[in-house]
Amino acid sequence: MARCAAASVVLRNSGARRVHGGDRFGRVLSPCLGRDDVRRALDEALEGSRWVTVVGPPGCGKTLLVRHAAADSDCVWVDARTLRSLDELLLAALGSLDAETAPGDSLPGALTRAIDGRDRLLVLDGLDLDATAAGPVLQSMLEGTTDARVVVTAHTTAGEVHESVVRVGPLPVPHVRAPLEGPAVDLFLQRIRAAGGQQVDLVKQAHEVHRLLSATGGLPLLIEQVAVQSALVGLSNAMSTVSLDQAVDSAHDMLDEASATALRRIGLLDFPVGLGVLSHVLGSSAPEAAELAGNLVRRSLLEVDPRGHFDMLSPIRGRARTLARPDDATAVEAGLLRWAQGLAPDHDNFGAADAEWLDDLPAMRHAVLSACARPETRAEGYSVANRIYSSLYTSMRARDAVEILEGALSSGDGPPELGAQVARRAGIAASEMRGSYDGLWLLDRADEHASSAPRPAEQLAKTASIRAEMHLDAGEMQLAEAEARRALELDPDGSICRQATRTLADVYVSQGRFAEATQAVGDAMLGRTSRDERWIDLSARTLLARIALEQGRIAEAVAAARAVVREARQLAEDRVGLLAETLLRGIDPTWEPTDVARETLPWAVRLPVLAQDGRDLLVRGEVRQAAGLAADVVALADSARLGRDGVEARLLLGRALVRLGDLDQATTTYLSALDSCHTMQLPLRAADVLDGLAGVASAHDLPEAHLLAAAAFALRTPRLAVRWGYSADYDVVPAPRAPAEWISGDDLSAEAVPLITAVFTRGTPSAPSVLDALTPAERQVADRVAHGLTSRQIAEELFVSPRTVDAHLTHIYRKLDINTRARLAALVVDSR
């Protein structure tokens, strides 16, 4: 959401754990006894096909086979056993690939881009192909990539063209009159030894071994269960189960009461849990919970994942859940809520990215949503949701924040004041994840809650202040100013006063109203009363540095920005500090920037950082890379409705295209930026654009080049602003005065943009075409689609990223009311 929201951001990995091949396969794998033929078939399938589905009944060892087959591959593993929708599957796959969706992205498109060009094997383990209907999407992904590979373990096949199937059946069980040998016998004896059982005499105890193995049907999981039971009670006392359900029932009956309770309660959880969660669910101390869990692990009823979290295989979980009693369900919900309340911060504005509970985020989500779903605990659920928000925000988990906070709101109304706060924060998170305005409806919800709060004006003012920040990020300066003033009018002496005043200062700086901005900065910096408001002071001082830069006081700007960065690091106000450092990188070549993981940053912070990365590339002479990165930022900014970032990215892209000699595309880029500057009321950025257009016009020997430079001069002079950055690269002597019809007062006139555009579009008019609705950049993409180029090939030709090409295609399809590349190609050919 807003760049300066009231929370500190820790710039380090958020702690999300990806299960890659190396993580899973680094440990010693159990042998695939008796599976040589299947292993060969699987290896051959992986050699000859990009999609292999390994099919077999529960407990037959599909996962173990794939682990062995993929042990030497760069493998990305997705545990799909609990995923029941296509979106859940796609999000899990993107998470394991360390990829994500940008605002406006489709999940299938994002996954296709994430896996294309990466020599990795994507394993979807335990996927329910029927419930998720994932087959067509996997088929489309393979058709849209050149080297993507996927392995699915499932109970059914997808029936798609690219799918190869390897079937895994039970192990062969020796006939009652045949010798006791083979993989089923080997596995049985091995598990008995591992469980501490007595040595088996295959001659004297042949009848019992035959009886037990025959009952398993040769399923390895059942063989293990029966072996553990035999180790505990002896061969003759072990039950000859005929199904996994019976095996779990039998194991449950043999457990002591505490262990049996643990089995049932863990079965009620749909996610792996750490020891802290487990102890609360079981109502025991951590050492006692560890002992109980270890007892279940030894009996193959529970698994331990590489993080040390406890989990169950789906078939065992399903039966354990059936065995659960009403008091088990009550104890689980109460235990999760106690755990969540104990680990959530006491203050709703504090929270770190290394919070202990983030390792058990699924448990926290379940605790909050379950509490909110029950009227008697809804207030507690809302309270926990509100208190964990800062940790979610600082750890860049906007998607998780949206899921939890929106889930709380959809469960029913909580206490009015808490409800307003939760709705506001859900709006911030939604805007962070989906785009500037996607959280507006949640702010409306906050206003509804505020009407019943003890101090409604205070709540309404806080919501208005957040709404102002959304408008500011989108470039809607008039709306941003109106909402900020509304916040001040509603609560003139309240806690939101300084934040709303800082927003006004940001609006004024963007519009070149530097005297008003300086006054607003001074008002926002008065009365520093609380630690959680220090970000306002730092942000306001960054605005002062920006004013100094715009007016040519470079040394002052550098000193101010350096001071903000140093203090922000001391206070761990990383979000504001990073934005100040991004400004500093562009004006102080001696500054050593902080190493930041770009992919973890919120969009409103990430895009300025990426734009500065592009400027650095341009300075180093890596012009093609700068152009590609700038185009990517343009597409992302447009999708996320981050208007000011879109203008900055177009300025960078235009400059890079000029350096590449592509003056036509540079012209359209600059004209698009000029239109945005005029709409958003950004006069100084409009001056930068005019300087760029003057440079292009000069290269074309157009007489208007000097008039364009004069218009830029006319916008800067009344604001005491100077040329810097890209504008300083162009050296076109301005005319004595700008055309009167271009300038109105201190700003561009209403007719300026079409008049300036006409300078570059003079020529013979062409016949009308359905493609006239497309922008020049979209037309370039459409022409290349008509030539049969893939998105990646188009991206390489245009010096942009595949994401940018996909974004253009999405806009093209919407404008032309079509949905396929073939139809687009036909329209382009027809237009010729």
Side-chain angles (χ1 to χ4, degrees), residues 77 85 105 111 123 137 144 215 227 250 278 305 356 359 386 398 408 421 479 545 637 694 712 714 719 746 775 782:
W77 194 281
S85 72
D105 270 353
L111 180 59
V123 178
V137 172
S250 175
L278 192 60
D305 70 15
E356 177 185 343
D359 278 340
N386 195 39
Q421 179 82 328
L479 293 175
R719 297 170 172 87
D746 295 339
T775 67

Side-chain angles (χ1 to χ4, degrees), residues 181 225 227 286 334 400 595 771 819 826:
E181 58 187 26
Q225 289 291 315
D400 294 306
D595 185 20
L771 301 179
N819 57 14

Side-chain angles (χ1 to χ4, degrees), residues 399-541:
R399 184 179 301 279
D400 294 306
V402 168
E403 290 178 0
I404 293 173
L405 299 181
E406 285 188 356
L409 292 167
S410 65
S411 67
D413 291 343
E417 189 170 350
L418 268 179
Q421 179 82 328
V422 167
R424 273 195 301 275
R425 290 177 155 182
I428 294 172
S431 296
E432 290 276 344
M433 185 183 75
R434 303 170 187 152
S436 291
Y437 283 148
D438 273 64
L440 276 179
W441 71 273
L442 288 158
L443 299 190
D444 294 338
R445 180 75 181 272
D447 283 346
E448 294 172 9
H449 282 280
S451 61
S452 304
R455 295 179 296 278
E458 178 185 359
Q459 296 301 320
L460 291 170
K462 289 180 177 179
T463 306
S465 180
I466 299 300
R467 198 178 276 112
E469 289 282 349
M470 285 186 182
H471 290 316
L472 178 64
D473 283 346
E476 297 284 356
M477 297 299 157
Q478 288 184 326
L479 293 175
E481 182 173 355
E483 283 294 330
R485 292 192 180 282
R486 178 169 170 263
L488 293 172
E489 291 167 2
L490 285 167
D491 196 20
D493 301 315
S495 58
I496 206 63
C497 177
R498 293 180 62 223
Q499 181 173 332
T501 304
R502 190 224 66 85
T503 302
L504 281 176
D506 204 340
V507 171
Y508 297 154
V509 171
S510 297
Q511 295 182 327
R513 298 157 62 181
F514 295 141
E516 294 170 88
T518 302
Q519 178 62 50
V521 165
D523 293 341
M525 290 172 62
L526 292 175
R528 307 173 194 170
T529 57
S530 63
R531 177 171 173 259
D532 64 324
E533 288 186 335
R534 291 304 301 272
W535 72 272
I536 299 176
D537 174 60
L538 296 172
S539 177
R541 287 159 53 194

Side-chain angles (χ1 to χ4, degrees), residues 339-396:
W339 168 80
Q341 289 173 318
L343 287 185
D346 294 332
H347 194 289
D348 61 10
N349 270 343
F350 295 136
D354 57 357
E356 177 185 343
W357 61 266
L358 285 171
D359 278 340
D360 278 295
L361 182 55
M364 182 63 79
R365 179 187 294 109
H366 184 94
V368 169
L369 298 184
S370 296
C372 289
R374 299 190 301 274
E376 64 274 16
T377 57
R378 184 167 297 148
E380 297 169 79
Y382 264 76
S383 174
V384 173
N386 195 39
R387 287 152 52 201
I388 65 172
Y389 171 78
S390 289
S391 287
L392 290 172
Y393 192 74
T394 58
S395 62
M396 314 293 179

Side-chain angles (χ1 to χ4, degrees), residues 579-632:
L579 289 168
E581 185 175 25
T582 302
L583 173 65
L584 187 58
R585 286 170 58 194
I587 58 179
D588 183 1
T590 68
W591 180 258
E592 291 291 332
T594 305
D595 185 20
V596 177
R598 270 68 172 160
E599 66 276 5
T600 67
L601 299 174
W603 294 113
V605 178
R606 189 189 314 187
L607 296 191
V609 172
L610 292 177
Q612 185 55 48
D613 290 343
R615 296 183 194 106
D616 292 344
L617 289 170
L618 196 62
V619 169
R620 294 199 299 266
E622 300 175 40
V623 185
R624 290 182 184 275
Q625 295 89 331
L629 182 54
D632 209 7

